[in-house]
Amino acid sequence: MPLRSDLKNWGSITKGLHWLIALAVIGLLCVGPWMVELPISANKVRVYALHKSTGVTVLALMCLRMAWRLIEGRRPRLPPGMPAWQRGLANASHGLLYLALLVMPLSGWIFNSAANFPLQWFGLVSMPALAAPDPSIKQLARDVHGWTAWLLIGLVTLHVLAALKHHFFDRDPTLRRMLPGGNVRR
């Protein structure tokens, strides 16, 4: 499988970043609500540390994905005959996904900083604070983090449903092109 995308298929770098980010985000969205309900314990601290480290990793992967998208330049074409409103919705939802996938980890990092907690990436690297300790910034960042989680749940659901619609109803290669090992024949 080629590293770079062409006009018919996504390259392995794009696919790899897509699926790494997808798995991490789904895991974070599942763990987030559960971890806040844990009783105060060493286990809760470990779960929070893992959640924060994974969130920072998502931020780094998103930056890498956006850089790769700029470097690569070309992307597979949307299916021919796709109505303009669907093209517009696809572009808008992808733009919102990218924005939410940047806002979510940044708001978490700011929340952590404003709460005056140290942040270490998997216990290996101390991350700088993005805000001084401040209860109002902490609350704002917490609210943004929570609302962005709901936005992401909605966008991911829409994204998956659209991919399934393309695959099962439109019978076009949209989903197959993004699956590992799935390519459209030349």
Side-chain angles (χ1 to χ4, degrees):
M1 176 175 14
L3 291 177
R4 297 181 72 111
S5 302
D6 59 37
L7 293 177
K8 288 191 176 188
N9 296 296
W10 294 107
S12 58
I13 292 175
T14 299
K15 286 182 185 184
L17 289 169
H18 175 274
W19 289 108
L20 277 172
I21 293 166
L23 291 172
V25 168
I26 290 168
L28 289 166
L29 289 171
C30 291
V31 169
W34 168 76
M35 73 182 191
V36 297
E37 300 300 324
L38 290 173
I40 295 183
S41 66
N43 186 51
K44 183 171 187 164
V45 171
R46 281 191 294 274
V47 171
Y48 264 81
L50 180 61
H51 181 84
K52 293 172 188 182
S53 292
T54 306
V56 169
T57 302
V58 167
L59 179 61
L61 289 171
M62 279 304 299
C63 291
L64 184 60
R65 184 168 182 176
M66 291 186 322
W68 178 248
R69 189 170 177 161
L70 289 173
I71 291 165
E72 190 175 46
R74 60 183 177 247
R75 291 176 280 294
R77 294 188 179 120
L78 291 170
M82 187 178 190
W85 69 269
Q86 283 185 16
R87 288 178 187 277
L89 188 58
N91 290 328
S93 65
H94 278 97
L96 281 173
L97 265 171
Y98 273 62
L99 180 63
L101 289 168
L102 293 171
V103 168
M104 188 73 174
L106 283 171
S107 62
W109 192 346
I110 293 168
F111 171 44
N112 187 79
S113 299
N116 202 24
F117 288 116
L119 178 59
Q120 286 201 340
W121 183 72
F122 294 109
L124 301 171
V125 177
S126 293
M127 305 299 292
L130 296 183
D134 183 318
S136 60
I137 292 174
K138 174 185 165 187
Q139 187 59 50
L140 176 62
R142 181 181 183 174
D143 291 345
V144 168
H145 198 67
W147 284 108
T148 305
W150 285 108
L151 176 63
L152 263 175
I153 290 168
L155 289 169
V156 168
T157 301
L158 180 65
H159 188 71
V160 169
L161 290 174
L164 293 173
K165 174 211 171 272
H166 280 283
H167 188 73
F168 291 109
F169 293 99
D170 300 342
R171 300 195 183 279
D172 67 36
T174 301
L175 174 62
R176 197 171 59 248
R177 294 187 307 192
M178 188 50 82
L179 292 174
N183 281 332
V184 177
R185 300 204 191 279
R186 308 271 167 202

